[in-house]
Amino acid sequence: NNFLINMSGVNKIILGKRYEVLKKIGVNYVGLSNNHIFDYGIKGVADTIQALYDVGIEVTGFGNNYEDARTYYRISTTICCKR
């Protein structure tokens, strides 16, 4: 299965180019400030951020410094429903 997520307890690792799936389904921006960001240490955080940037997904909530971690994005949406 190309989209298998390896799990260990509550921890999840998305391997390789599977981040591209997130981009393909329309994810453009993710927040990384959560209590599991360090589950795989500093290298895990760095790998995650780089993998997201590599597929064109922006991040907030973590960074190399205070300003990076507090980066914000304005997101506009148009919601239209037919009944």
Side-chain angles (χ1 to χ4, degrees), residues 22-33:
L22 296 174
K23 188 65 176 179
K24 286 180 183 177
I25 64 169
V27 174
N28 295 309
Y29 172 80
V30 297
L32 298 178
S33 58

Side-chain angles (χ1 to χ4, degrees), residues 5-63:
I5 298 175
N6 295 333
M7 299 178 75
S8 172
V10 297
N11 305 334
K12 298 177 183 171
I13 299 176
I14 301 176
L15 302 173
K17 297 189 177 247
R18 294 183 179 110
Y19 287 95
E20 292 174 355
V21 173
L22 296 174
K23 188 65 176 179
K24 286 180 183 177
I25 64 169
V27 174
N28 295 309
Y29 172 80
V30 297
L32 298 178
S33 58
N34 65 69
N35 62 323
H36 292 286
I37 191 63
F38 283 112
D39 284 353
Y40 292 93
I42 295 292
K43 182 170 179 1
V45 175
D47 290 349
T48 297
I49 292 171
Q50 188 60 55
L52 290 165
Y53 284 157
D54 287 350
V55 296
I57 298 175
E58 298 293 329
V59 302
T60 191
F62 195 89

